[in-house]
């Protein structure tokens, strides 16, 4: 009996010690008290110390002219062969810069270090007191156990010195933890001034993310510049979701019918994970995408070139862009497999059954209705999950062309 208790205590101790060892093995985080230092991450081989970029090209008006003046660039010439992906899309397909393990991955934002320090401090203190108290209990149980001839000793009634000590020391520890935690929390929640280019609109829906940039371009990957504060303006089209980027240690709920805000200051270029961390239904676990932290200057290039690329596409190509970037891909396949919603393939120009028992021709009118008013002509066997997407007429035409090409 005693042996088995000792054995399980030993196992528990081993687990904690191993865990703490893992924490210590993480690269020491620089102090979080410093203001965001614009030093490039020296550890990342993919990040040569890039000089400050020249004045960024402002996307928007001037680029419209640039696009018109240079019609031969961008997506236009490659019409027939499989379309070459843009460099920022290839970048988003790169391997993750860090892989997770039992602990959170190394931090890549200024606010992450504060929460890491606090977490490790609380964990270390808990581990210390766990062993100290458990050890004392075991020792005292053995030392004063009942045995023949052993008389119980009277317990001490009171000790002022002891009581004052065990009141003051924990109070000091709690105050320190509170002050440090409060400062880190303020760092995380007080959003500093950000350039308009670095303010990104985030839309969450079952079960995908979309990010709208300053230039009007939407993407399903979050692109951000390194060493600049980035602000996110977030809302949901349906239920509660939650934005979480582990390397930034930044997490914020995304709510329907209201806006929430969050910010971060990325310190290391790379490709990182982005999750939904609020259970939001069937495919919650698939509601993930990537953050690309661009090296100095690349974010501006992304803004300018994605704007140009977007304005050069129409028809089926635009439909594909909408399909990939605006979340259709989360519920509809292109290969005939039904997912949350029906596949785009194989139904064009056929008669489809509706939930109310009638049949309707699957044509441009039907697709338009299905996008603009998703439940008006719902099909049986699919949940009413399709959101109102707010696609433009040009984009809807593109989707129609895409579906037509898959018949
Ligand atoms: Cu969205 Cu979980």
């Amino acid at each position: 009996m005693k042996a088995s208790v000792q054995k399980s205590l030993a196992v528990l101790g081993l687990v904690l010690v191993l865990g703490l060892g893992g924490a210590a093995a993480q690269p020491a985080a620089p102090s979080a008290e410093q203001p965001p230092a614009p030093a490039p991450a020296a550890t990342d081989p993919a990040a040569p110390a890039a000089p400050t970029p020249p004045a960024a090209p402002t996307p928007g008006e001037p680029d419209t002219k640039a696009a018109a003046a240079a019609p031969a660039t961008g997506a236009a010439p490659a019409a027939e062969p499989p379309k070459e992906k843009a460099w920022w899309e290839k970048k988003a397909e790169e391997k993750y810069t860090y892989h997770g393990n039992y602990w959170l991955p190394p931090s890549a934002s200024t606010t992450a270090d504060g929460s890491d320090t606090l977490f490790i401090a609380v964990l270390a203190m808990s581990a210390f007191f766990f062993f100290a108290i458990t050890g004392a209990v075991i020792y005292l149980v053995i030392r004063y156990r009942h045995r023949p001839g052993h008389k119980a000793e009277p317990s001490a009634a009171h000790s002022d010195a002891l009581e004052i000590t065990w009141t003051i020391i924990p109070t000091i520890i709690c105050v320190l933890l509170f002050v440090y935690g409060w400062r880190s929390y303020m760092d995380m929640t007080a959003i500093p001034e950000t350039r308009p280019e670095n303010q990104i609109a985030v839309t969450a829906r079952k079960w995908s993310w979309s990010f709208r940039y300053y230039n009007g371009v939407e993407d399903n990957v979050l692109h951000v510049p390194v060493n600049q504060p980035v602000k996110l303006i977030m809302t949901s089209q349906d239920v509660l979701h939650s934005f979480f980027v582990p390397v930034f240690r930044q997490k914020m709920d995304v709510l329907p019918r209201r806006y929430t805000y969050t910010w971060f200051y990325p310190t290391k270029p790379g490709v990182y994970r982005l999750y939904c961390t609020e259970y939001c239904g069937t495919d919650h676990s698939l509601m993930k995408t990537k953050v690309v932290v661009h090296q100095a200057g690349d974010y501006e290039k992304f803004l300018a070139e994605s704007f140009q690329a977007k304005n050069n596409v129409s028809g089926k190509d635009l439909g594909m862009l909408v399909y990939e970037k605006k979340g259709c891909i989360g519920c509809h396949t292109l290969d005939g497999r039904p997912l949350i919603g029906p596949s785009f393939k194989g139904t064009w120009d056929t008669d489809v059954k509706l939930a109310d028992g009638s049949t309707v021709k699957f044509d441009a009118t039907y697709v338009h209705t299905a996008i603009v008013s998703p439940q008006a002509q719902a099909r049986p066997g699919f949940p009413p999950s399709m959101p109102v997407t707010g696609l433009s007429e040009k984009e809807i035409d593109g989707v129609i062309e895409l579906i037509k090409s898959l018949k």
Side-chain angles (χ1 to χ4, degrees), residues 51-129:
T52 334
T58 321
E61 292 291 335
D63 284 309
T64 325
K65 284 174 213 146
T73 57
E80 282 321 297
K83 270 184 61 188
E84 176 77 357
K85 288 204 160 137
W87 64 267
W88 62 87
E89 290 173 315
K90 286 184 191 156
K91 179 91 201 155
E93 283 171 8
E94 282 176 14
K95 280 210 201 110
Y96 291 114
T97 307
Y98 299 127
H99 277 286
N101 51 22
Y102 179 75
W103 298 92
L104 283 167
S107 73
S109 85
T110 50
T111 48
D113 302 332
S115 71
D116 283 6
T117 309
L118 203 59
F119 172 73
I120 288 169
V122 171
L123 184 67
M125 263 186 268
S126 308
F128 172 78
F129 284 109

Side-chain angles (χ1 to χ4, degrees), residues 276-308:
C276 175
T277 52
E278 187 86 51
Y279 180 64
C280 55
T282 314
D283 276 344
H284 158 72
S285 60
L286 299 179
M287 194 170 161
K288 53 193 168 51
T289 180
K290 292 176 171 184
V291 190
V292 177
V293 178
H294 288 283
Q295 297 174 35
D298 278 5
Y299 178 66
E300 286 71 17
K301 239 171 81 187
F302 156 73
L303 285 180
E305 291 178 26
S306 63
F307 182 82
Q308 208 164 318

Side-chain angles (χ1 to χ4, degrees), residues 147 218 226 248:
R147 51 198 188 272
E218 274 188 272
V226 73
F248 298 158

Side-chain angles (χ1 to χ4, degrees), residues 233 241 329 397:
I233 301 139
H241 302 275
I329 196 166
D397 287 346

